[in-house]
Amino acid sequence: IGHTGGMAAEFLVTLATPEQVKSACDGVFFYGRREARFAFVGRSNVGKSSLLNALTKTKLAQVSKEPGKTRCIHSYVWKEQKLVLVDLPGYGFAKAAQSERKRWAEFINVYFSLDQALCEAIVLLDSRNGPTPLDDEAIGFLLHEQVPIRIVMTKLDQLKTQSERARRKKEVKTSLARWGIGPELTHWVSASRNDGISALGGMLSEVARAAAHSITERIQESKKEEE
Ligand code: GDP
């Protein structure tokens, strides 16, 4: 566990196995912690680390030179907003086998089923191509697990012209509508240009504030069950 005193965000915990996820949720790290949590998911190399760093104005998340390396769940406390940002392992690295995808699903499934303070899964998609079949698979999985979803389109700066942006926005809107996900749940950002970042942070903070009461209730209920 790393501590970086005085920073806007702080490293909380790294979990590498389903058993560790369980003990973190049951035990000292998550149990009783009332910060709303947001789980960030996306294909490897989609820009997840860069987004986490841009949001928290830190360099906590490691921007990958080699995609598809992270196999752990890292959590960060974003002190300014009183949130926990959960960095889930990237899925669907091009070479990953079916068995690997299954392991991914099993690992994060444990997390989704145990985290009492989870507000939303933030699904990152690359603005350059919109949702791929693998992204669809992940969105389908999350919706099936009844996890509320918010979409973040990354690397917006890579769409160079207004018409390119307008066309991609229309395509993505149509594509996400199949899942019942509307434009109000879709954010377009560029971590490298810092576009859309503070608006996204503000939105997460609002969602967290609205959820605070029900999180407290859920935690109290599970404590009562234990007694
Ligand atoms: P992760 O694997 O999802 O954590 O992705 P990273 O944050 O490590 O980024 C993957 C690659 O995309 C890196 O080379 C980043 O520099 C690049 N990248 C991330 N965000 C942006 C962005 O907003 N714009 C551009 N142009 N590149 C980005």
Side-chain angles (χ1 to χ4, degrees):
I1 316 280
H3 280 285
T4 42
M7 282 175 74
E10 194 168 279
F11 195 40
L12 184 60
V13 64
T14 295
L15 308 165
T17 64
E19 291 71 34
Q20 288 177 344
V21 173
K22 182 156 173 29
S23 69
C25 290
D26 290 346
V28 287
F29 292 116
F30 288 165
Y31 189 79
R33 283 195 83 108
R34 288 171 192 209
E35 297 99 340
R37 290 191 277 271
F38 293 87
F40 286 67
V41 289
R43 219 151 17 94
S44 309
N45 220 33
V46 71
K48 180 154 54 71
S49 310
S50 304
L51 175 64
L52 290 167
N53 289 336
L55 279 170
T56 58
K57 302 188 189 76
T58 64
K59 300 255 181 266
L60 282 173
Q62 277 200 352
V63 175
S64 48
K65 300 247 156 26
E66 287 173 77
K69 286 222 106 171
T70 330
R71 285 287 169 275
C72 316
I73 297 178
H74 302 290
S75 301
Y76 310 97
V77 183
W78 185 6
K79 291 191 270 188
E80 215 184 330
Q81 305 280 11
K82 299 192 180 67
L83 306 178
V84 172
L85 304 176
V86 180
D87 184 357
L88 294 177
Y91 56 79
F93 182 43
K95 287 179 218 146
Q98 192 66 31
S99 62
E100 172 116 4
R101 283 191 228 163
K102 203 167 154 233
R103 254 206 318 279
W104 176 85
E106 282 167 2
F107 185 29
I108 69 165
N109 209 356
V110 172
Y111 165 74
F112 284 122
S113 64
L114 291 174
D115 189 355
Q116 297 162 323
L118 180 70
C119 282
E120 292 178 341
I122 313 294
V123 179
L124 275 55
L125 306 175
D126 196 319
S127 295
R128 288 175 297 188
N129 39 35
T132 64
L134 274 174
D135 293 323
D136 281 334
E137 207 179 296
I139 292 171
F141 166 81
L142 292 165
L143 291 175
H144 181 258
E145 300 301 319
Q146 299 183 316
V147 180
I149 286 182
R150 183 178 299 277
I151 303 289
V152 173
M153 304 300 303
T154 63
K155 309 188 189 181
L156 179 60
D157 58 281
Q158 295 286 26
L159 301 180
K160 302 291 181 198
T161 64
Q162 284 299 332
S163 68
E164 235 182 317
R165 290 185 180 202
R167 183 156 40 86
R168 185 54 39 78
K169 283 191 180 177
K170 214 171 139 197
E171 283 166 10
V172 167
K173 187 180 167 195
T174 306
S175 176
L176 293 176
R178 288 174 303 146
W179 300 105
I181 301 170
E184 77 285 356
L185 289 173
T186 311
H187 304 258
W188 296 77
V189 306
S190 163
S192 51
R193 298 244 177 110
N194 213 36
D195 283 341
I197 300 294
S198 67
L200 174 62
M203 181 55 72
L204 299 188
S205 160
E206 237 173 73
V207 172
R209 265 204 308 277
H213 184 66
S214 59
I215 291 172
T216 303
E217 274 185 348
R218 255 181 279 166
I219 290 171
Q220 278 168 351
E221 244 160 61
S222 71
K223 274 185 180 161
K224 254 187 247 153
E225 275 166 30
E226 292 221 332
E227 281 164 13

